[in-house]
């Protein structure tokens, strides 16, 4: 799984198979809606050069969305790991302060 690539032996929290399916459905629904929006925009303009010139950013976002979904999940996981490490360090500092 993804957590093993981060060097963690167990996941910090479990995500059910149903949640993964729901997230996938929502994601692909959004991609579909964005695609539909671009198709409608193209049908209004009917000129490929003008369309790309006006909507180039939306086109790039739509193409790159599936690629960056994995990076977003990784980013969230890394934030959680960072928080846990900070908490662990703070806990150790408090333990040392108690002993002193």
């Amino acid at each position: 799984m993804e957590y093993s690539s981060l060097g963690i032996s167990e996941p910090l929290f479990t995500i059910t198979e149903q949640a993964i399916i729901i997230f996938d459905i929502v994601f692909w629904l959004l991609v579909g809606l964005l695609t539909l929006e671009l198709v409608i925009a193209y049908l209004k303009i009917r000129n490929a050069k003008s369309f790309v010139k006006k909507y180039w950013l939306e086109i790039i976002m739509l193409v790159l969305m599936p690629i960056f979904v994995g990076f977003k999940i990784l980013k969230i996981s890394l934030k959680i790991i960072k928080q846990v490490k900070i908490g662990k360090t703070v806990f150790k500092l408090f333990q040392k302060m108690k002993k002193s």
Side-chain angles (χ1 to χ4, degrees):
M1 290 297 195
E2 295 83 15
Y3 60 88
S4 62
S5 63
L6 297 172
I8 302 172
S9 60
E10 294 181 20
L12 297 174
F13 53 90
T14 57
I15 299 175
T16 64
E17 197 65 35
Q18 292 86 5
I20 292 171
I21 291 170
I22 290 171
F23 289 137
D24 282 344
I25 290 171
V26 169
F27 171 75
W28 288 111
L29 185 64
L30 285 173
V31 169
L33 290 172
L34 291 173
T35 303
L36 180 64
E37 180 184 12
L38 284 175
V39 167
I40 292 171
Y42 177 76
L43 291 174
K44 287 181 180 178
I45 295 175
R46 296 234 183 230
N47 182 340
K49 190 174 184 179
S50 296
F51 175 73
V52 172
K53 188 175 182 180
K54 187 172 182 177
Y55 294 100
W56 65 272
L57 184 59
E58 287 87 351
I59 295 169
I60 291 173
M61 279 183 10
L62 186 62
V63 169
L64 295 179
M65 265 180 79
I67 296 170
F68 287 117
V69 157
F71 291 127
K72 177 123 176 115
I73 293 169
L74 180 64
K75 182 180 175 183
I76 291 169
S77 300
L78 290 176
K79 282 184 179 180
I80 292 170
I81 292 169
K82 187 176 169 182
Q83 295 285 331
V84 169
K85 286 184 178 181
I86 290 171
K88 185 177 174 182
T89 303
V90 169
F91 181 74
K92 285 182 179 180
L93 286 173
F94 280 127
Q95 290 293 349
K96 285 184 180 182
M97 288 172 53
K98 274 187 172 180
K99 289 180 182 179
S100 298

